[in-house]
């Protein structure tokens, strides 16, 4: 699949409608009678309406959408009193958690302005982020624990398109970003739902191979990178669609190209450099270089966004440790597009990556029923944050290390070195 050159026969409206259908049928696997909670930027209303229509056709009992608005977010930073930045809408997140406990599915539409808060006081940004993370925790745990089916898809907002293509007019930039979103989301395939079934099968084959290998660690080597990532005891590799605890099979990310598992929070050592910028809550953090010792980041620098990065690392004890490691071939369609999206949903699927913070319980054998103490003993990290950043490229090699300490080539120059 080529993101840039494929001529499009169908209209934008038809493609947008297919994205809505893929989000509901593939992303959520929405079941008849289920409620659905959508969060979206205001600009994404055209897609929200299509998703809502597909959800009701799939038998949804009620679709509720919460819209966010960049200008209103900025107004807070410009005009609110300083003491306001420790406030979050706990009642709203509690309500969402209540909906999930009652069986509602969750859909988020990404498309935020990657640099919205770039000019704001990093301390206020960090306080607002922290307050929101604390308030969101009960709802987020139900999502990361896969109690419910959930998915994230995207909308080409004008601000996001302008960030990616500053040299183009707004219309041309949006058209280019839409082409990339539709291609990466497999919307232009003759039968998008069938294309996703095939893609899920190939990701599942890769997880079967990795789970059979029982590696105890991964070793990444590349420019500025010599990192050994120990894997948690009884870790499981996941990728593509998976069943939630409610029995519904969902694809948590549209698009997705990664296979991923849980590192051991005490067994990460060495240096690693980011290979793509990280857009975090409106701040662009570029050229991250960190050193791990016994699982903890002991040095961290970044060319831009360093203050925000430091505050992120100080969020809590687990923020300096890893909660995820993921492998993505350099030739993945998103990477092959050559585009930098400034959006984690896309950029993390263009490169192998690691995530600071919270681990996914589903990436451990019996993880969703194990106690927090047991999960911690097996190496699963715990934190208010989960932030993916990209460490793979066409210059990075990855070895799998087995229990006897011998290395098996897994990726060479960013490509799989073993058959699935
Ligand atoms: Zn990931
Ligand atoms: Zn992640």
């Amino acid at each position: 699949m080529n993101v840039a050159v494929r001529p499009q026969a169908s209209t934008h409206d038809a493609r947008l409608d297919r994205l809505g259908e893929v989000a509901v049928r593939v992303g959520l696997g929405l079941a008849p009678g289920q409620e659905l909670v959508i969060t979206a930027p205001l600009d994404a209303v055209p897609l929200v309406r299509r998703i809502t229509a597909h959800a009701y056709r799939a038998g949804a009992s009620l679709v509720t959408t919460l819209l966010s608005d960049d200008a209103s977010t900025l107004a807070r930073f410009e005009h609110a009193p300083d003491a306001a930045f420790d406030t979050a809408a706990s009642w709203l997140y509690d309500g969402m958690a209540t909906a999930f406990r009652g069986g509602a599915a969750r859909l988020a539409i990404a498309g935020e302005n990657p640099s919205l808060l770039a000019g704001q006081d990093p301390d206020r940004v960090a306080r607002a982020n922290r307050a929101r993370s604390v308030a969101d925790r009960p709802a987020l745990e139900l999502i990361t624990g896969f109690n419910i089916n959930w998915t994230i898809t995207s909308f080409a907002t004008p601000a996001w398109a302008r960030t990616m293509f500053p040299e183009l007019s707004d219309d041309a930039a949006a058209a280019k970003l839409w082409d990339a979103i539709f291609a990466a989301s497999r919307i232009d395939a003759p039968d998008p739902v069938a294309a996703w079934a095939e893609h899920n099968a190939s990701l599942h084959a890769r997880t079967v191979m990795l789970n059979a290998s029982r590696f105890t660690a991964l070793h990444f080597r590349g420019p500025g990178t010599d990192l050994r990532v120990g894997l948690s005891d009884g870790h499981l590799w996941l990728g593509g669609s998976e069943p939630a605890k409610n029995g519904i099979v969902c694809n948590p990310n549209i698009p997705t190209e990664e296979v991923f598992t849980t590192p051991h929070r005490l067994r990460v050592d060495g240096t690693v450099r980011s290979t793509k910028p990280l857009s975090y809550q409106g701040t662009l953090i570029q050229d991250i270089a960190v050193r791990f010792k016994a699982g903890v980041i002991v040095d961290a620098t970044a060319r831009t966004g360093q203050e925000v990065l430091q505050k992120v690392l100080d969020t809590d004890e687990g923020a300096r440790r890893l909660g995820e490691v993921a492998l993505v071939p350099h030739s993945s369609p998103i990477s092959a597009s050559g585009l930098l999206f400034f959006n984690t949903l896309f950029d993390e699927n263009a490169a192998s990556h690691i995530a600071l913070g919270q681990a996914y319980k589903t990436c451990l054998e019996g993880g969703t029923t194990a106690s927090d103490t047991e999960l911690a003993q097996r190496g699963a990290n715990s934190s208010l944050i989960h932030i993916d950043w990209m460490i793979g490229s066409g210059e990075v090699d990855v070895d799998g290390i087995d229990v006897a300490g011998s290395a098996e080539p897994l990726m060479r120059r960013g490509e799989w070195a073993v058959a699935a």
Side-chain angles (χ1 to χ4, degrees), residues 133-179:
S133 296
V134 171
D136 193 18
R137 176 130 198 163
L140 195 64
E141 274 185 348
L142 296 167
I143 292 170
T144 58
F146 269 91
N147 290 56
I148 56 159
N149 47 326
W150 60 276
T151 195
I152 309 176
T153 188
S154 57
F155 187 94
T157 62
W160 181 20
R162 266 196 300 276
T163 304
M164 282 182 64
F165 307 106
E167 72 286 1
L168 299 182
S169 71
D170 280 8
D171 284 354
K176 246 185 125 128
L177 176 51
W178 272 123
D179 279 346

Side-chain angles (χ1 to χ4, degrees), residues 258 260 324 326 348 353 386 388:
E258 62 176 328
F260 58 101
E324 178 192 342
E348 77 159 337
H353 55 271
H386 177 97
D388 300 271

Side-chain angles (χ1 to χ4, degrees), residues 209 215 221 398-400 407-412 415-418:
M209 179 275 282
F215 293 122
R221 269 165 302 142
V398 186
D399 285 345
E408 179 185 327
L410 268 185
M411 292 184 131
R412 285 296 175 262
E415 300 303 331
W416 288 111
V418 277

Side-chain angles (χ1 to χ4, degrees), residues 207 210-215 232-238 261-262 360-371 374-375 378 380:
T207 62
L210 289 164
N211 283 326
S213 299
R214 301 313 317 159
F215 293 122
S232 59
D233 301 327
H235 67 274
L236 276 180
W237 287 89
L238 296 178
T261 193
T262 299
Y360 283 103
K361 292 176 187 174
T362 45
C363 286
L364 290 127
E365 285 164 357
T368 53
T369 49
S371 69
E374 189 197 329
L375 290 172
R378 288 166 63 184

Side-chain angles (χ1 to χ4, degrees), residues 50-354:
R50 288 176 189 278
I51 288 170
T52 301
H54 281 289
Y56 282 125
R57 274 184 220 135
S61 59
L62 182 65
V63 180
T64 304
T65 302
L66 304 161
L67 295 170
S68 58
D69 171 46
D70 282 357
S72 303
T73 302
L74 273 183
R76 182 185 187 199
F77 281 86
E78 277 157 21
H79 306 299
D82 188 63
F85 291 89
D86 299 308
T87 307
S90 329
W91 54 270
L92 177 66
Y93 297 104
D94 288 347
M96 284 167 68
T98 302
F100 301 155
R101 280 186 213 104
R106 161 93 168 102
L107 186 146
I109 299 178
E112 57 277 13
N113 177 351
S115 307
L116 182 69
L117 302 178
Q120 305 304 323
D121 174 6
D123 184 54
R124 286 182 165 189
V125 174
R127 284 165 57 204
N129 284 340
R130 189 170 202 290
R132 198 208 49 253
S133 296
V134 171
D136 193 18
R137 176 130 198 163
L140 195 64
E141 274 185 348
L142 296 167
I143 292 170
T144 58
F146 269 91
N147 290 56
I148 56 159
N149 47 326
W150 60 276
T151 195
I152 309 176
T153 188
S154 57
F155 187 94
T157 62
W160 181 20
R162 266 196 300 276
T163 304
M164 282 182 64
F165 307 106
E167 72 286 1
L168 299 182
S169 71
D170 280 8
D171 284 354
K176 246 185 125 128
L177 176 51
W178 272 123
D179 279 346
I181 290 173
F182 289 138
S185 307
R186 292 177 163 74
I187 296 310
D188 294 330
D191 180 347
V193 174
W196 272 96
E198 192 181 317
H199 182 48
N200 278 325
S202 87
L203 291 170
H204 291 160
R206 189 58 71 185
T207 62
V208 167
M209 179 275 282
L210 289 164
N211 283 326
S213 299
R214 301 313 317 159
F215 293 122
T216 56
L218 302 179
H219 186 189
F220 292 82
R221 269 165 302 142
T225 291
D226 185 353
L227 182 73
R228 194 185 159 98
V229 179
L231 301 179
S232 59
D233 301 327
H235 67 274
L236 276 180
W237 287 89
L238 296 178
S241 60
E242 58 182 294
K245 276 195 221 163
N246 63 7
I248 298 171
V249 175
C250 65
N251 256 99
N253 289 181
I254 301 285
T256 186
E257 301 289 339
E258 62 176 328
V259 291
F260 58 101
T261 193
T262 299
H264 196 294
R265 64 194 184 89
L266 307 176
R267 299 180 193 153
V268 183
D269 288 278
T271 56
V272 60
R273 189 184 291 173
S274 64
T275 51
K276 287 174 180 292
L278 164 65
S279 172
Y280 176 68
Q281 306 283 350
T283 302
L284 205 56
I285 310 177
Q286 292 175 287
D287 297 338
I288 302 169
V290 307
R291 187 162 63 88
F292 283 90
K293 204 176 162 191
V296 184
I297 292 181
V298 289
D299 287 320
T301 60
R303 185 168 57 80
T304 67
Q306 165 133 5
E307 271 185 275
V308 169
L309 175 65
Q310 291 297 348
K311 289 184 191 304
V312 163
L313 294 177
D314 291 338
T315 305
D316 54 27
E317 206 272 334
R320 287 179 179 269
R321 300 181 186 271
L322 294 188
E324 178 192 342
V325 61
L327 298 175
V328 179
H330 184 59
S331 61
S332 88
I334 298 170
S335 174
S337 75
L339 297 172
L340 180 62
F341 286 81
F342 303 99
N343 180 302
T344 300
L345 178 62
F346 285 81
D347 290 328
E348 77 159 337
N349 283 303
S352 293
H353 55 271
I354 48 182

